[in-house]
Short mmCIF file of all heavy atoms in Angstrom, two decimals:
data_model
loop_
_atom_site.label_atom_id
_atom_site.label_comp_id
_atom_site.label_asym_id
_atom_site.label_seq_id
_atom_site.Cartn_x
_atom_site.Cartn_y
_atom_site.Cartn_z
N MET A 1 0.87 -1.22 0.01
CA MET A 1 -0.04 -0.01 0.04
C MET A 1 0.92 1.27 -0.04
O MET A 1 0.59 2.21 -0.67
CB MET A 1 -0.91 -0.04 1.30
CG MET A 1 -1.85 1.15 1.30
SD MET A 1 -3.12 1.04 0.11
CE MET A 1 -4.50 1.43 1.01
N LYS A 2 1.92 1.20 0.79
CA LYS A 2 2.83 2.36 0.83
C LYS A 2 3.49 2.64 -0.51
O LYS A 2 3.66 3.88 -0.88
CB LYS A 2 3.89 2.09 1.92
CG LYS A 2 4.49 3.25 2.51
CD LYS A 2 5.43 2.92 3.69
CE LYS A 2 5.69 4.08 4.53
NZ LYS A 2 6.57 3.77 5.69
N LYS A 3 3.86 1.66 -1.24
CA LYS A 3 4.50 1.79 -2.60
C LYS A 3 3.49 2.44 -3.57
O LYS A 3 3.77 3.26 -4.35
CB LYS A 3 4.97 0.53 -3.09
CG LYS A 3 6.26 0.03 -2.39
CD LYS A 3 6.87 -1.24 -2.96
CE LYS A 3 8.03 -1.60 -2.10
NZ LYS A 3 8.69 -2.76 -2.68
N PHE A 4 2.21 1.89 -3.50
CA PHE A 4 1.21 2.41 -4.36
C PHE A 4 0.89 3.86 -4.04
O PHE A 4 0.76 4.74 -5.03
CB PHE A 4 -0.07 1.60 -4.16
CG PHE A 4 -1.27 2.12 -4.91
CD1 PHE A 4 -1.26 1.99 -6.33
CD2 PHE A 4 -2.31 2.83 -4.25
CE1 PHE A 4 -2.26 2.54 -7.06
CE2 PHE A 4 -3.38 3.36 -5.11
CZ PHE A 4 -3.31 3.22 -6.48
N ILE A 5 0.83 4.25 -2.79
CA ILE A 5 0.68 5.76 -2.34
C ILE A 5 1.86 6.52 -2.97
O ILE A 5 1.62 7.62 -3.48
CB ILE A 5 0.42 5.75 -0.90
CG1 ILE A 5 -0.89 5.24 -0.52
CG2 ILE A 5 0.52 7.30 -0.49
CD1 ILE A 5 -1.12 5.14 0.91
N SER A 6 3.09 6.06 -2.80
CA SER A 6 4.20 6.83 -3.30
C SER A 6 4.16 6.87 -4.80
O SER A 6 4.48 8.07 -5.37
CB SER A 6 5.48 6.09 -2.88
OG SER A 6 5.67 6.13 -1.48
N PHE A 7 3.76 5.91 -5.47
CA PHE A 7 3.73 5.85 -6.91
C PHE A 7 2.65 6.88 -7.39
O PHE A 7 2.76 7.64 -8.31
CB PHE A 7 3.41 4.51 -7.48
CG PHE A 7 3.27 4.34 -8.94
CD1 PHE A 7 4.30 4.57 -9.80
CD2 PHE A 7 2.01 4.16 -9.48
CE1 PHE A 7 4.10 4.54 -11.09
CE2 PHE A 7 1.80 4.11 -10.86
CZ PHE A 7 2.92 4.28 -11.66
N LEU A 8 1.43 6.88 -6.64
CA LEU A 8 0.35 7.67 -7.10
C LEU A 8 0.81 9.22 -6.80
O LEU A 8 0.43 9.95 -7.70
CB LEU A 8 -0.91 7.37 -6.22
CG LEU A 8 -2.19 8.19 -6.51
CD1 LEU A 8 -2.52 7.98 -8.03
CD2 LEU A 8 -3.29 7.75 -5.55
N PHE A 9 1.45 9.53 -5.73
CA PHE A 9 1.91 10.83 -5.47
C PHE A 9 2.89 11.28 -6.54
O PHE A 9 2.77 12.44 -7.04
CB PHE A 9 2.67 10.92 -4.19
CG PHE A 9 3.05 12.24 -3.79
CD1 PHE A 9 2.11 13.24 -3.40
CD2 PHE A 9 4.47 12.57 -3.68
CE1 PHE A 9 2.62 14.53 -3.13
CE2 PHE A 9 4.80 13.80 -3.42
CZ PHE A 9 3.96 14.81 -3.09
N LEU A 10 3.81 10.33 -6.99
CA LEU A 10 4.77 10.81 -7.97
C LEU A 10 4.01 11.04 -9.35
O LEU A 10 4.33 12.07 -10.10
CB LEU A 10 5.79 9.59 -8.22
CG LEU A 10 6.82 9.92 -9.20
CD1 LEU A 10 7.74 11.00 -8.74
CD2 LEU A 10 7.72 8.56 -9.39
N CYS A 11 3.17 10.20 -9.60
CA CYS A 11 2.31 10.38 -10.93
C CYS A 11 1.58 11.77 -10.84
O CYS A 11 1.50 12.41 -11.86
CB CYS A 11 1.33 9.25 -11.13
SG CYS A 11 2.08 7.77 -11.54
N LEU A 12 0.94 12.10 -9.70
CA LEU A 12 0.29 13.32 -9.61
C LEU A 12 1.19 14.63 -9.73
O LEU A 12 0.79 15.57 -10.42
CB LEU A 12 -0.48 13.36 -8.25
CG LEU A 12 -1.73 12.48 -8.14
CD1 LEU A 12 -2.25 12.45 -6.74
CD2 LEU A 12 -2.78 12.94 -9.15
N ILE A 13 2.32 14.47 -9.14
CA ILE A 13 3.33 15.60 -9.29
C ILE A 13 3.77 15.70 -10.74
O ILE A 13 3.88 16.91 -11.28
CB ILE A 13 4.56 15.27 -8.38
CG1 ILE A 13 4.13 15.40 -6.95
CG2 ILE A 13 5.67 16.31 -8.67
CD1 ILE A 13 3.58 16.70 -6.44
N ILE A 14 4.01 14.64 -11.44
CA ILE A 14 4.36 14.62 -12.80
C ILE A 14 3.19 15.28 -13.69
O ILE A 14 3.44 16.05 -14.50
CB ILE A 14 4.76 13.22 -13.35
CG1 ILE A 14 6.14 12.87 -12.67
CG2 ILE A 14 4.87 13.18 -14.86
CD1 ILE A 14 6.62 11.47 -12.87
N SER A 15 2.02 14.77 -13.41
CA SER A 15 0.84 15.29 -14.24
C SER A 15 0.57 16.76 -14.06
O SER A 15 0.28 17.42 -14.98
CB SER A 15 -0.42 14.45 -13.89
OG SER A 15 -0.86 14.71 -12.65
N VAL A 16 0.71 17.29 -12.81
CA VAL A 16 0.61 18.66 -12.61
C VAL A 16 1.74 19.46 -13.37
O VAL A 16 1.56 20.57 -13.90
CB VAL A 16 0.62 19.05 -11.08
CG1 VAL A 16 0.81 20.53 -10.90
CG2 VAL A 16 -0.59 18.57 -10.42
N SER A 17 2.94 18.98 -13.28
CA SER A 17 4.07 19.51 -14.04
C SER A 17 3.84 19.61 -15.56
O SER A 17 4.10 20.50 -16.20
CB SER A 17 5.36 18.68 -13.72
OG SER A 17 5.73 18.74 -12.39
N ILE A 18 3.20 18.50 -16.01
CA ILE A 18 2.93 18.43 -17.42
C ILE A 18 1.79 19.39 -17.82
O ILE A 18 1.91 20.07 -18.83
CB ILE A 18 2.44 17.00 -17.91
CG1 ILE A 18 3.64 16.02 -17.85
CG2 ILE A 18 1.74 16.97 -19.17
CD1 ILE A 18 3.36 14.60 -17.93
N GLY A 19 0.80 19.62 -16.91
CA GLY A 19 -0.25 20.56 -17.11
C GLY A 19 0.38 22.00 -17.17
O GLY A 19 0.01 22.81 -18.01
N PHE A 20 1.31 22.32 -16.22
CA PHE A 20 2.00 23.62 -16.34
C PHE A 20 2.91 23.74 -17.58
O PHE A 20 3.06 24.88 -18.02
CB PHE A 20 2.79 23.91 -15.07
CG PHE A 20 1.90 24.39 -13.88
CD1 PHE A 20 1.75 23.54 -12.75
CD2 PHE A 20 1.28 25.56 -13.98
CE1 PHE A 20 1.07 24.02 -11.69
CE2 PHE A 20 0.48 26.02 -12.93
CZ PHE A 20 0.33 25.27 -11.77
N TYR A 21 3.39 22.70 -17.98
CA TYR A 21 4.28 22.77 -19.35
C TYR A 21 3.28 23.02 -20.41
O TYR A 21 3.66 23.83 -21.34
CB TYR A 21 4.88 21.40 -19.47
CG TYR A 21 5.64 21.32 -20.76
CD1 TYR A 21 6.92 22.06 -20.90
CD2 TYR A 21 5.17 20.58 -21.84
CE1 TYR A 21 7.59 21.86 -21.98
CE2 TYR A 21 5.96 20.56 -23.05
CZ TYR A 21 7.16 21.16 -23.13
OH TYR A 21 7.75 21.15 -24.31
N TYR A 22 2.12 22.39 -20.53
CA TYR A 22 1.19 22.66 -21.68
C TYR A 22 0.42 23.95 -21.61
O TYR A 22 -0.07 24.39 -22.58
CB TYR A 22 0.23 21.46 -21.88
CG TYR A 22 0.84 20.21 -22.51
CD1 TYR A 22 0.97 19.06 -21.90
CD2 TYR A 22 1.31 20.33 -23.89
CE1 TYR A 22 1.57 17.98 -22.50
CE2 TYR A 22 1.87 19.33 -24.56
CZ TYR A 22 1.96 18.08 -23.87
OH TYR A 22 2.45 17.01 -24.46
N LYS A 23 0.34 24.60 -20.49
CA LYS A 23 -0.53 25.76 -20.25
C LYS A 23 -0.08 26.90 -21.13
O LYS A 23 -1.02 27.51 -21.74
CB LYS A 23 -0.48 26.05 -18.70
CG LYS A 23 -1.60 27.04 -18.40
CD LYS A 23 -1.76 27.25 -16.96
CE LYS A 23 -2.85 28.20 -16.68
NZ LYS A 23 -3.09 28.27 -15.25
N PRO A 24 1.15 27.31 -21.40
CA PRO A 24 1.34 28.43 -22.25
C PRO A 24 1.11 28.11 -23.69
O PRO A 24 0.64 28.95 -24.45
CB PRO A 24 2.88 28.60 -22.20
CG PRO A 24 3.30 27.88 -20.83
CD PRO A 24 2.31 26.82 -20.61
N GLN A 25 1.15 26.85 -24.14
CA GLN A 25 0.84 26.49 -25.52
C GLN A 25 -0.62 26.28 -25.75
O GLN A 25 -1.21 26.78 -26.77
CB GLN A 25 1.60 25.21 -25.90
CG GLN A 25 3.05 25.23 -25.75
CD GLN A 25 3.74 23.88 -25.72
OE1 GLN A 25 3.07 22.80 -25.88
NE2 GLN A 25 5.04 23.81 -25.40
N ASN A 26 -1.33 25.58 -24.90
CA ASN A 26 -2.73 25.39 -25.08
C ASN A 26 -3.27 25.51 -23.64
O ASN A 26 -3.28 24.46 -22.84
CB ASN A 26 -2.92 23.90 -25.61
CG ASN A 26 -4.29 23.61 -25.91
OD1 ASN A 26 -5.27 24.39 -25.57
ND2 ASN A 26 -4.58 22.55 -26.56
N GLU A 27 -3.93 26.62 -23.28
CA GLU A 27 -4.34 26.99 -21.96
C GLU A 27 -5.47 25.98 -21.53
O GLU A 27 -5.51 25.51 -20.37
CB GLU A 27 -4.86 28.34 -21.79
CG GLU A 27 -5.10 28.88 -20.51
CD GLU A 27 -5.30 30.24 -20.39
OE1 GLU A 27 -4.97 30.96 -21.32
OE2 GLU A 27 -5.71 30.62 -19.21
N ASP A 28 -6.45 25.62 -22.39
CA ASP A 28 -7.46 24.73 -22.00
C ASP A 28 -7.05 23.33 -21.58
O ASP A 28 -7.40 22.83 -20.64
CB ASP A 28 -8.47 24.64 -23.17
CG ASP A 28 -9.22 25.87 -23.37
OD1 ASP A 28 -9.34 26.71 -22.41
OD2 ASP A 28 -9.78 26.07 -24.55
N LEU A 29 -6.09 22.81 -22.43
CA LEU A 29 -5.51 21.52 -22.11
C LEU A 29 -4.71 21.56 -20.76
O LEU A 29 -4.93 20.59 -19.91
CB LEU A 29 -4.71 20.97 -23.23
CG LEU A 29 -4.02 19.56 -23.06
CD1 LEU A 29 -5.13 18.55 -22.90
CD2 LEU A 29 -3.08 19.37 -24.17
N GLY A 30 -3.94 22.53 -20.58
CA GLY A 30 -3.16 22.66 -19.42
C GLY A 30 -4.08 22.78 -18.09
O GLY A 30 -3.85 22.13 -17.14
N ASN A 31 -5.09 23.49 -18.23
CA ASN A 31 -6.07 23.64 -17.20
C ASN A 31 -6.86 22.43 -16.86
O ASN A 31 -7.05 22.08 -15.72
CB ASN A 31 -7.01 24.83 -17.39
CG ASN A 31 -6.44 26.23 -17.22
OD1 ASN A 31 -5.41 26.38 -16.51
ND2 ASN A 31 -7.05 27.20 -17.80
N LYS A 32 -7.11 21.60 -17.95
CA LYS A 32 -7.78 20.35 -17.71
C LYS A 32 -6.92 19.30 -17.01
O LYS A 32 -7.37 18.64 -16.04
CB LYS A 32 -8.31 19.85 -18.98
CG LYS A 32 -9.46 20.50 -19.48
CD LYS A 32 -9.96 19.99 -20.91
CE LYS A 32 -11.11 20.79 -21.42
NZ LYS A 32 -11.48 20.18 -22.75
N ILE A 33 -5.60 19.24 -17.37
CA ILE A 33 -4.68 18.34 -16.73
C ILE A 33 -4.47 18.72 -15.27
O ILE A 33 -4.49 17.84 -14.46
CB ILE A 33 -3.35 18.29 -17.62
CG1 ILE A 33 -3.63 17.80 -18.94
CG2 ILE A 33 -2.29 17.55 -16.78
CD1 ILE A 33 -2.38 17.83 -19.92
N ILE A 34 -4.34 19.98 -15.05
CA ILE A 34 -4.19 20.44 -13.69
C ILE A 34 -5.31 20.22 -12.82
O ILE A 34 -5.24 19.71 -11.75
CB ILE A 34 -3.59 21.94 -13.59
CG1 ILE A 34 -2.29 22.12 -14.26
CG2 ILE A 34 -3.59 22.44 -12.16
CD1 ILE A 34 -1.99 23.61 -14.56
N GLY A 35 -6.50 20.50 -13.40
CA GLY A 35 -7.71 20.22 -12.58
C GLY A 35 -7.99 18.81 -12.27
O GLY A 35 -8.36 18.44 -11.19
N PHE A 36 -7.77 17.92 -13.36
CA PHE A 36 -8.00 16.44 -13.10
C PHE A 36 -6.94 15.97 -12.07
O PHE A 36 -7.28 15.17 -11.22
CB PHE A 36 -7.83 15.75 -14.45
CG PHE A 36 -7.99 14.30 -14.29
CD1 PHE A 36 -9.32 13.75 -14.12
CD2 PHE A 36 -6.96 13.37 -14.36
CE1 PHE A 36 -9.42 12.43 -13.95
CE2 PHE A 36 -7.08 12.03 -14.20
CZ PHE A 36 -8.35 11.52 -13.99
N SER A 37 -5.80 16.44 -12.11
CA SER A 37 -4.71 15.98 -11.19
C SER A 37 -5.14 16.42 -9.76
O SER A 37 -4.98 15.63 -8.79
CB SER A 37 -3.41 16.63 -11.46
OG SER A 37 -3.01 16.12 -12.76
N THR A 38 -5.63 17.67 -9.55
CA THR A 38 -6.12 18.08 -8.33
C THR A 38 -7.26 17.27 -7.75
O THR A 38 -7.30 16.96 -6.64
CB THR A 38 -6.53 19.67 -8.42
OG1 THR A 38 -5.42 20.29 -8.91
CG2 THR A 38 -6.88 20.18 -7.02
N LEU A 39 -8.21 16.93 -8.59
CA LEU A 39 -9.35 16.19 -8.17
C LEU A 39 -8.88 14.78 -7.79
O LEU A 39 -9.34 14.26 -6.80
CB LEU A 39 -10.36 16.04 -9.46
CG LEU A 39 -11.22 17.25 -9.63
CD1 LEU A 39 -12.09 17.00 -10.85
CD2 LEU A 39 -12.13 17.45 -8.45
N VAL A 40 -7.92 14.19 -8.50
CA VAL A 40 -7.48 12.87 -8.07
C VAL A 40 -6.73 12.99 -6.72
O VAL A 40 -6.85 12.07 -5.94
CB VAL A 40 -6.59 12.25 -9.22
CG1 VAL A 40 -5.87 10.96 -8.70
CG2 VAL A 40 -7.38 11.93 -10.42
N PHE A 41 -5.94 14.01 -6.61
CA PHE A 41 -5.26 14.25 -5.43
C PHE A 41 -6.24 14.31 -4.14
O PHE A 41 -6.02 13.70 -3.17
CB PHE A 41 -4.41 15.51 -5.42
CG PHE A 41 -3.61 15.76 -4.23
CD1 PHE A 41 -2.44 15.17 -3.95
CD2 PHE A 41 -4.03 16.74 -3.28
CE1 PHE A 41 -1.73 15.27 -2.84
CE2 PHE A 41 -3.25 17.01 -2.14
CZ PHE A 41 -2.18 16.24 -1.99
N VAL A 42 -7.25 15.11 -4.30
CA VAL A 42 -8.10 15.28 -3.26
C VAL A 42 -9.05 14.18 -2.86
O VAL A 42 -9.30 13.71 -1.72
CB VAL A 42 -9.06 16.59 -3.46
CG1 VAL A 42 -10.13 16.64 -2.47
CG2 VAL A 42 -8.13 17.84 -3.51
N PHE A 43 -9.63 13.44 -3.99
CA PHE A 43 -10.68 12.47 -3.74
C PHE A 43 -10.02 11.10 -3.74
O PHE A 43 -10.81 10.07 -3.40
CB PHE A 43 -11.71 12.59 -4.80
CG PHE A 43 -12.59 13.81 -4.60
CD1 PHE A 43 -12.52 14.84 -5.56
CD2 PHE A 43 -13.42 13.98 -3.46
CE1 PHE A 43 -13.29 16.01 -5.35
CE2 PHE A 43 -14.12 15.07 -3.26
CZ PHE A 43 -14.09 16.13 -4.18
N VAL A 44 -8.90 10.83 -4.19
CA VAL A 44 -8.25 9.45 -4.23
C VAL A 44 -7.09 9.39 -3.34
O VAL A 44 -7.03 8.54 -2.45
CB VAL A 44 -7.93 9.07 -5.67
CG1 VAL A 44 -7.26 7.70 -5.66
CG2 VAL A 44 -9.16 9.09 -6.60
N PHE A 45 -6.08 10.25 -3.59
CA PHE A 45 -4.77 10.10 -2.80
C PHE A 45 -4.94 10.48 -1.31
O PHE A 45 -4.42 9.65 -0.54
CB PHE A 45 -3.76 11.15 -3.46
CG PHE A 45 -2.50 11.16 -2.76
CD1 PHE A 45 -1.61 10.14 -2.76
CD2 PHE A 45 -2.25 12.17 -1.81
CE1 PHE A 45 -0.40 10.15 -2.08
CE2 PHE A 45 -1.06 12.21 -1.17
CZ PHE A 45 -0.20 11.22 -1.25
N MET A 46 -5.62 11.57 -1.09
CA MET A 46 -5.76 11.99 0.45
C MET A 46 -6.44 11.02 1.25
O MET A 46 -6.01 10.66 2.32
CB MET A 46 -6.35 13.32 0.55
CG MET A 46 -5.43 14.52 0.15
SD MET A 46 -3.96 14.54 1.11
CE MET A 46 -4.49 14.87 2.70
N PRO A 47 -7.59 10.33 0.86
CA PRO A 47 -8.30 9.38 1.69
C PRO A 47 -7.39 8.11 1.87
O PRO A 47 -7.24 7.56 2.93
CB PRO A 47 -9.49 9.05 0.98
CG PRO A 47 -9.86 10.19 0.09
CD PRO A 47 -8.46 10.80 -0.27
N LEU A 48 -6.68 7.77 0.78
CA LEU A 48 -5.83 6.56 0.87
C LEU A 48 -4.68 6.87 1.88
O LEU A 48 -4.20 6.07 2.71
CB LEU A 48 -5.23 6.16 -0.49
CG LEU A 48 -6.14 5.51 -1.42
CD1 LEU A 48 -5.47 5.32 -2.81
CD2 LEU A 48 -6.59 4.16 -0.85
N PHE A 49 -4.05 8.12 1.86
CA PHE A 49 -3.04 8.53 2.61
C PHE A 49 -3.51 8.53 4.12
O PHE A 49 -2.71 8.11 4.94
CB PHE A 49 -2.53 9.88 2.18
CG PHE A 49 -1.38 10.35 2.97
CD1 PHE A 49 -0.03 9.90 2.80
CD2 PHE A 49 -1.53 11.35 3.96
CE1 PHE A 49 1.00 10.34 3.57
CE2 PHE A 49 -0.48 11.89 4.65
CZ PHE A 49 0.75 11.38 4.50
N ILE A 50 -4.55 9.16 4.34
CA ILE A 50 -5.05 9.21 5.69
C ILE A 50 -5.45 7.79 6.31
O ILE A 50 -5.21 7.49 7.47
CB ILE A 50 -6.39 10.22 5.84
CG1 ILE A 50 -5.84 11.53 5.48
CG2 ILE A 50 -7.09 10.08 7.13
CD1 ILE A 50 -7.00 12.60 5.18
N TYR A 51 -6.09 6.97 5.41
CA TYR A 51 -6.39 5.57 5.84
C TYR A 51 -5.24 4.81 6.20
O TYR A 51 -5.05 4.15 7.22
CB TYR A 51 -7.17 4.95 4.77
CG TYR A 51 -7.40 3.44 5.09
CD1 TYR A 51 -8.36 3.07 6.05
CD2 TYR A 51 -6.65 2.47 4.54
CE1 TYR A 51 -8.48 1.64 6.33
CE2 TYR A 51 -6.79 1.08 4.83
CZ TYR A 51 -7.78 0.79 5.75
OH TYR A 51 -7.83 -0.61 6.00
N ASN A 52 -4.14 4.96 5.45
CA ASN A 52 -2.86 4.27 5.74
C ASN A 52 -2.17 4.82 6.97
O ASN A 52 -1.61 4.03 7.67
CB ASN A 52 -1.92 4.41 4.52
CG ASN A 52 -0.72 3.61 4.60
OD1 ASN A 52 -0.81 2.43 4.99
ND2 ASN A 52 0.40 4.07 4.26
N GLY A 53 -2.36 5.97 7.23
CA GLY A 53 -1.75 6.57 8.43
C GLY A 53 -2.44 6.15 9.80
O GLY A 53 -1.90 6.08 10.78
N TRP A 54 -3.77 6.02 9.69
CA TRP A 54 -4.59 5.66 10.90
C TRP A 54 -4.77 4.13 11.04
O TRP A 54 -5.36 3.76 11.96
CB TRP A 54 -6.05 6.40 10.85
CG TRP A 54 -5.89 7.74 11.30
CD1 TRP A 54 -5.71 8.91 10.51
CD2 TRP A 54 -6.01 8.16 12.60
NE1 TRP A 54 -5.71 9.98 11.37
CE2 TRP A 54 -5.81 9.59 12.70
CE3 TRP A 54 -6.23 7.64 13.90
CZ2 TRP A 54 -5.95 10.33 13.71
CZ3 TRP A 54 -6.30 8.34 14.93
CH2 TRP A 54 -6.12 9.73 14.94
N LYS A 55 -4.36 3.40 10.02
CA LYS A 55 -4.60 1.96 10.04
C LYS A 55 -3.97 1.36 11.39
O LYS A 55 -2.74 1.54 11.61
CB LYS A 55 -4.09 1.27 8.81
CG LYS A 55 -4.32 -0.08 8.68
CD LYS A 55 -4.00 -0.69 7.39
CE LYS A 55 -2.45 -0.28 7.02
NZ LYS A 55 -2.09 -0.78 5.78
N GLY A 56 -4.70 0.59 12.18
CA GLY A 56 -4.11 0.02 13.35
C GLY A 56 -4.02 0.83 14.62
O GLY A 56 -3.51 0.42 15.57
N LYS A 57 -4.56 1.99 14.50
CA LYS A 57 -4.57 3.00 15.73
C LYS A 57 -5.86 3.08 16.33
O LYS A 57 -6.93 3.02 15.60
CB LYS A 57 -3.88 4.19 15.28
CG LYS A 57 -2.61 4.22 14.83
CD LYS A 57 -2.09 5.63 14.56
CE LYS A 57 -0.60 5.49 14.12
NZ LYS A 57 -0.11 6.75 13.56
N LYS A 58 -5.90 3.20 17.68
CA LYS A 58 -7.23 3.37 18.30
C LYS A 58 -7.52 4.89 18.44
O LYS A 58 -6.67 5.58 18.97
CB LYS A 58 -7.33 2.73 19.60
CG LYS A 58 -7.12 1.18 19.60
CD LYS A 58 -7.06 0.57 20.92
CE LYS A 58 -6.78 -0.73 20.86
NZ LYS A 58 -6.54 -1.35 22.25
N LEU A 59 -8.70 5.28 18.10
CA LEU A 59 -9.07 6.74 18.27
C LEU A 59 -9.15 7.09 19.67
O LEU A 59 -8.91 8.25 20.08
CB LEU A 59 -10.43 7.00 17.49
CG LEU A 59 -10.87 8.54 17.40
CD1 LEU A 59 -9.77 9.43 16.76
CD2 LEU A 59 -12.07 8.60 16.78
N SER A 60 -9.59 6.15 20.50
CA SER A 60 -9.74 6.38 21.93
C SER A 60 -8.35 6.90 22.68
O SER A 60 -8.38 7.43 23.71
CB SER A 60 -10.36 5.21 22.65
OG SER A 60 -9.49 4.08 22.65
N ASP A 61 -7.29 6.45 22.10
CA ASP A 61 -6.00 6.87 22.60
C ASP A 61 -5.73 8.31 22.50
O ASP A 61 -4.90 8.86 23.10
CB ASP A 61 -4.86 6.06 22.02
CG ASP A 61 -4.98 4.53 22.34
OD1 ASP A 61 -5.54 4.25 23.43
OD2 ASP A 61 -4.34 3.74 21.62
N TYR A 62 -6.42 8.96 21.47
CA TYR A 62 -6.10 10.28 21.13
C TYR A 62 -7.22 11.27 21.59
O TYR A 62 -7.23 12.47 21.29
CB TYR A 62 -5.90 10.52 19.53
CG TYR A 62 -4.76 9.61 19.17
CD1 TYR A 62 -4.95 8.42 18.58
CD2 TYR A 62 -3.43 10.01 19.30
CE1 TYR A 62 -3.95 7.58 18.14
CE2 TYR A 62 -2.35 9.32 18.89
CZ TYR A 62 -2.63 8.05 18.27
OH TYR A 62 -1.60 7.37 17.85
N THR A 63 -8.26 10.76 22.25
CA THR A 63 -9.38 11.62 22.71
C THR A 63 -9.15 12.04 24.12
O THR A 63 -8.42 11.42 24.90
CB THR A 63 -10.69 10.88 22.57
OG1 THR A 63 -10.70 9.70 23.30
CG2 THR A 63 -11.09 10.59 21.14
N PHE A 64 -9.77 13.18 24.48
CA PHE A 64 -9.70 13.68 25.87
C PHE A 64 -10.76 13.13 26.68
O PHE A 64 -11.92 13.41 26.59
CB PHE A 64 -9.76 15.22 25.78
CG PHE A 64 -9.40 15.97 27.01
CD1 PHE A 64 -8.05 15.98 27.45
CD2 PHE A 64 -10.31 16.64 27.70
CE1 PHE A 64 -7.68 16.61 28.55
CE2 PHE A 64 -9.98 17.28 28.93
CZ PHE A 64 -8.64 17.35 29.29
N SER A 65 -10.29 12.10 27.52
CA SER A 65 -11.29 11.50 28.50
C SER A 65 -10.61 11.26 29.81
O SER A 65 -9.46 11.50 30.02
CB SER A 65 -11.72 10.10 27.85
OG SER A 65 -10.63 9.32 27.87
N ASN A 66 -11.53 10.99 30.71
CA ASN A 66 -11.05 10.78 32.14
C ASN A 66 -9.96 9.70 32.27
O ASN A 66 -9.04 9.82 32.96
CB ASN A 66 -12.17 10.40 33.16
CG ASN A 66 -13.06 11.58 33.31
OD1 ASN A 66 -12.66 12.69 33.28
ND2 ASN A 66 -14.30 11.44 33.72
N LYS A 67 -10.14 8.60 31.49
CA LYS A 67 -9.25 7.57 31.40
C LYS A 67 -7.81 8.03 30.88
O LYS A 67 -6.82 7.69 31.46
CB LYS A 67 -9.71 6.44 30.52
CG LYS A 67 -8.79 5.30 30.38
CD LYS A 67 -9.35 4.23 29.46
CE LYS A 67 -8.44 3.17 29.09
NZ LYS A 67 -8.85 2.13 28.13
N ASN A 68 -7.82 8.80 29.86
CA ASN A 68 -6.52 9.41 29.41
C ASN A 68 -5.85 10.41 30.32
O ASN A 68 -4.71 10.58 30.25
CB ASN A 68 -6.78 9.90 27.96
CG ASN A 68 -7.01 8.82 26.97
OD1 ASN A 68 -6.61 7.69 27.24
ND2 ASN A 68 -7.61 9.17 25.95
N ILE A 69 -6.73 11.17 31.06
CA ILE A 69 -6.19 12.21 31.95
C ILE A 69 -5.44 11.44 33.04
O ILE A 69 -4.34 11.96 33.47
CB ILE A 69 -7.34 12.96 32.46
CG1 ILE A 69 -7.95 13.87 31.41
CG2 ILE A 69 -6.90 13.90 33.58
CD1 ILE A 69 -9.15 14.66 31.82
N LYS A 70 -5.88 10.37 33.60
CA LYS A 70 -5.26 9.69 34.62
C LYS A 70 -3.93 9.00 34.25
O LYS A 70 -3.12 8.61 35.12
CB LYS A 70 -6.13 8.52 35.24
CG LYS A 70 -7.34 9.08 35.85
CD LYS A 70 -8.31 8.10 36.38
CE LYS A 70 -9.55 8.67 37.04
NZ LYS A 70 -10.46 7.69 37.44
N LYS A 71 -3.69 8.76 33.01
CA LYS A 71 -2.46 8.16 32.46
C LYS A 71 -1.27 9.12 32.67
O LYS A 71 -1.16 10.19 32.59
CB LYS A 71 -2.52 7.83 31.00
CG LYS A 71 -3.33 6.60 30.77
CD LYS A 71 -3.28 6.24 29.27
CE LYS A 71 -4.22 5.10 29.02
NZ LYS A 71 -4.18 4.68 27.61
#
């Protein structure tokens, strides 16, 4: 999963760079590439990244409760 997230991040960085490269020549195409990359980043990459970071952790360890105050 970690390798897939790294690969996806690299692909997104490359696609945004390509979008900025094409923007002076063909502004519509450049904007579409940048916009699609941003959408994929927000709706695909970020949830996968957050899920991978929280996998195996208990939310109760990070909440403010009487049990955690006594620790």
Side-chain angles (χ1 to χ4, degrees):
M1 182 70 135
K2 202 172 199 180
K3 289 183 182 183
F4 176 72
I5 291 173
S6 299
F7 177 73
L8 183 60
F9 182 72
L10 182 66
C11 289
L12 288 171
I13 295 297
I14 290 171
S15 65
V16 168
S17 301
I18 289 171
F20 279 114
Y21 175 77
Y22 279 117
K23 196 169 181 176
Q25 301 162 4
N26 188 352
E27 189 170 350
D28 289 338
L29 179 63
N31 285 336
K32 286 180 184 178
I33 293 171
I34 294 168
F36 181 73
S37 301
T38 304
L39 284 174
V40 170
F41 181 79
V42 169
F43 292 112
V44 176
F45 176 77
M46 284 303 294
L48 286 174
F49 181 77
I50 292 169
Y51 172 76
N52 190 41
W54 277 92
K55 187 173 50 178
K57 296 183 181 173
K58 296 178 187 175
L59 185 58
S60 62
D61 292 340
Y62 301 98
T63 55
F64 194 67
S65 65
N66 288 334
K67 180 182 171 186
N68 289 339
I69 292 173
K70 291 178 184 178
K71 286 184 181 181

